[in-house]
Amino acid sequence: MGRPPPALPLCACVSLLGGLTFGYELAVISGALLPLQSDFGLSCSEQELLVGSLLLGALLASLAGGILIDRCGRKRAILGSNLVLLAGSLSLGLAGSLPWLVLGRAAVGSAISLSSMACCIYVSELVGPRRRGVLVSLYEVGITVGILLSYAVNYALASAPGGWRHMFGWAVAPALLQNLALLFLPAAADETASHKDLIPLQGGAASKPGLERPRYTFLDLFRARDNMRGRSAVGLGLVLFQQLTGQPNVLCYASTIFHSVGFRGGASAVLASVGLGAVKVAATLTAMGLVDRVGRRALLLAGCALMALSVSGIGLVSFAVPMDSGPSCLAMPNATGQAGLPGGSVLLKDSSPTPMPRTWGDQWEPVLSTPKKTKSHPGRKHATAPPPSALSTSPTVTPSQAPEPALLRWAALICLMAFVSAFSFGFGPVTWLVLSEIYPVEVRGRAFAFCNSFNWATNLFISLSFLDLIGAIGLSWTFLLYGLTAVLGLGFIYLVVPETKGQSLAEIDQQFQNSRFALCFGHRQNSAGIQYSRIGVPVAS
């Protein structure tokens, strides 16, 4: 019998490769959509259907995936999701019609949604408290790296015949490598005693066979038993605030803001994708290094505060810097500012919106839109659509307009970079780490899936209502509204979200059980402290 492979590197591979697959699948459509439109003649609504099918599959998987994770186990759920990913990738690579493309994207969406939940739970249960934050945060690092990798693959295969088939097919590689790493890891936390680098989840007496564990139903998530209601308040609050701050929509207008800064033509799209992607990777790596040192709560507070300042700054700057954007798959006449609301931009109310970036946590999916002739309307002349671009920009500048101060333009750029960085070291990685820690093991999969379904649903709502919100109150006021939401999120984190740094999952569970109200986790936690007895858990190396 040979010596078993090191467990911690394998856990790191599972987390990193799972995130890489997720990020790649999210962003690969940005390069594949344009050749798909050329090959299949996709209309705007068909493009939206193709993009939205992944989100629909992810939402459905988040509703049902929790039961699979709890009943079949975390490891089996990951392996099963990779098989679904393989089937979806084959459907996409061999597709000859739009229905097969939609089916493949829906299958891929369900696979990455199920895998994302199972990976975070699986890794958090296997490793000790001193390494749990780093290894779970590796999933977020993998997502940002996967997004950048998809951009590189899209660029390399853009001019190749049938290149979009290869774009979809390459997603199978990290999934197969993840399956290989899983073969050498235990199926559950109770089997980790033989690994020196890992610890049993419950430790000591709780992991001994024959002891009866508590049973939970889905309805227990809303009851006072073991403070499950307080745990659900923490989980739902985090996933809702991370979306309601408008992170995916701010990224949608990244190219517009870059254009107003002065980067014209192709440089704008490059900065919006590669530049922001590099910033997100750097910020996520920073979070990975700090999450087990300064704590989860500190990163959430710092990130949310910086998000509130930066997104409000974008709103204030956009009052002075003209930023106007609209759907690029339909012709756009010159937009005029909305009366009574400075900085507002009016978009065509009868034009269908271009597919918006969709995100999970802090992942975005910029979608290439393609030109299409406008429908015939009485009294309106046909116009030629602008050339396709990664993110449409059409700022209106009259000859009499004076150039905007360079200071304001660079302020918009700095605010955008700060917003992306703040999300990437705050809400992005920490939300899912906290969700993987606060629930009892018996109901953790269903609870995680329940919160994740709200994340996907809120993402859809925020993205689909964005253009209508801009038409109602203007772009500047929309950003300011996101800033106000971030301020409310800051108060929520300060009052409700606990600090779980350095505690085993069993200790975190007992901490919640001994707390009657979620509000006791705020600033009062530091002064009064929460009394709990330490459970005998072997210390992870």
Side-chain angles (χ1 to χ4, degrees):
M1 293 293 294
R3 185 179 180 181
L8 282 176
L10 289 175
C11 283
C13 288
V14 170
S15 185
L16 183 65
L17 292 172
L20 195 149
T21 304
F22 190 105
Y24 184 91
E25 289 288 10
L26 277 178
V28 70
I29 191 67
S30 63
L33 195 61
L34 187 59
L36 282 172
Q37 193 278 337
S38 177
D39 289 352
F40 293 95
L42 302 180
S43 64
C44 275
S45 58
E46 289 172 337
Q47 293 179 52
E48 291 174 338
L49 175 63
L50 182 57
V51 174
S53 58
L54 181 138
L55 292 173
L56 180 60
L59 178 58
L60 295 176
S62 66
L63 293 174
I67 300 176
L68 295 175
I69 293 173
D70 280 338
R71 293 186 177 179
C72 300
R74 288 69 159 124
K75 182 177 177 179
R76 290 181 180 178
I78 300 173
L79 294 172
S81 67
N82 286 339
L83 290 178
V84 176
L85 179 74
L86 176 61
S89 298
L90 288 176
S91 175
L92 289 168
L94 302 176
S97 61
L98 179 62
W100 282 105
L101 290 171
V102 172
L103 180 63
R105 287 291 285 174
V108 166
S110 63
I112 62 175
S113 178
L114 178 60
S115 177
S116 66
M117 296 183 292
C119 278
C120 291
I121 296 174
Y122 181 67
V123 173
S124 71
E125 290 179 349
L126 288 183
V127 299
R130 290 191 298 173
R131 292 186 173 93
R132 187 170 59 243
V134 171
L135 291 185
V136 175
S137 298
L138 264 179
Y139 192 90
E140 199 73 19
V141 176
I143 291 174
T144 55
V145 173
I147 290 172
L148 288 179
L149 180 62
S150 71
Y151 292 153
V153 173
N154 289 346
Y155 178 79
L157 298 175
S159 58
W164 58 270
R165 300 183 186 273
H166 299 283
M167 294 177 190
F168 289 131
W170 275 107
V172 176
L176 293 178
L177 291 176
Q178 186 188 43
N179 280 359
L180 182 62
L182 284 169
L183 294 179
F184 299 98
L185 286 173
D190 291 337
E191 302 176 15
T192 62
S194 61
H195 295 272
K196 295 181 179 180
D197 292 331
L198 306 178
I199 64 169
L201 170 63
Q202 300 294 337
S207 61
K208 293 180 181 179
L211 290 182
E212 184 178 356
R213 289 180 175 178
R215 294 182 177 272
Y216 297 92
T217 65
F218 179 76
L219 294 179
D220 286 330
L221 295 177
F222 313 100
R223 293 170 179 163
R225 177 192 177 189
D226 294 336
N227 198 20
M228 295 296 292
R229 189 181 300 159
R231 305 180 202 225
S232 296
V234 172
L236 287 178
L238 287 176
V239 298
L240 291 178
F241 276 114
Q242 78 162 354
Q243 293 294 341
L244 292 175
T245 50
Q247 185 263 166
N249 295 335
V250 171
L251 283 169
C252 174
Y253 275 76
S255 183
T256 301
I257 299 171
F258 277 124
H259 193 279
S260 70
V261 171
F263 296 95
R264 311 296 180 182
S268 175
V270 173
L271 283 173
S273 57
V274 179
L276 287 183
V279 169
K280 289 175 71 64
V281 171
T284 308
L285 288 173
T286 302
M288 188 181 69
L290 295 177
V291 69
D292 284 325
R293 296 182 180 180
V294 303
R296 289 76 158 131
R297 192 165 175 268
L299 286 180
L300 284 172
L301 288 171
C304 195
L306 184 56
M307 286 176 65
L309 292 174
S310 56
V311 76
S312 299
I314 295 174
L316 293 175
V317 170
S318 63
F319 282 130
V321 178
M323 286 182 282
D324 193 16
S325 178
S328 62
C329 62
L330 295 175
M332 282 281 296
N334 289 338
T336 57
Q338 187 174 357
L341 288 177
S345 61
V346 176
L347 304 177
L348 281 179
K349 294 184 178 180
D350 57 347
S351 62
S352 60
T354 189
M356 304 292 291
R358 317 296 190 186
T359 71
W360 178 89
D362 67 337
Q363 301 82 46
W364 73 95
E365 181 180 354
V367 178
L368 287 170
S369 298
T370 53
K372 177 185 175 183
K373 294 182 180 180
T374 56
K375 297 178 180 180
S376 177
H377 295 279
R380 181 181 297 175
K381 295 182 179 180
H382 290 286
T384 303
S389 60
L391 292 169
S392 172
T393 58
S394 55
T396 304
V397 180
T398 60
S400 60
Q401 249 183 324
E404 298 297 330
L407 179 62
L408 290 178
R409 295 180 173 181
W410 284 104
L413 173 62
I414 293 172
C415 286
L416 178 63
M417 290 293 189
F419 182 87
V420 171
S421 300
F423 194 94
S424 297
F425 72 75
F427 273 126
V430 180
T431 295
W432 310 106
L433 173 59
V434 173
L435 280 177
S436 68
E437 295 176 327
I438 62 176
Y439 289 102
V441 61
E442 294 79 14
V443 74
R444 186 171 292 136
R446 282 164 288 174
F448 198 107
F450 172 69
C451 295
N452 194 31
S453 64
F454 272 82
N455 177 75
W456 286 108
T458 309
N459 187 352
L460 280 171
F461 170 75
I462 292 297
S463 298
L464 294 177
S465 64
F466 189 42
L467 293 180
D468 292 332
L469 187 61
I470 291 176
I473 65 176
L475 185 62
S476 300
W477 289 105
T478 300
F479 285 151
L480 291 176
L481 180 61
Y482 290 151
L484 176 61
T485 306
V487 172
L488 296 177
L490 185 64
F492 171 82
I493 295 168
Y494 183 75
L495 293 174
V496 177
V497 179
E499 180 57 74
T500 58
K501 178 188 68 172
Q503 301 179 38
S504 70
L505 297 181
E507 291 169 350
I508 296 172
D509 182 48
Q510 192 174 31
Q511 178 181 354
F512 271 96
Q513 291 183 27
N514 295 341
S515 306
R516 294 185 59 188
F517 304 105
L519 289 178
C520 70
F521 286 123
H523 59 285
R524 306 178 205 173
Q525 181 181 5
N526 296 330
S527 58
I530 293 183
Q531 301 298 326
Y532 55 87
S533 58
R534 181 171 294 275
I535 296 178
V537 178
V539 179
S541 60

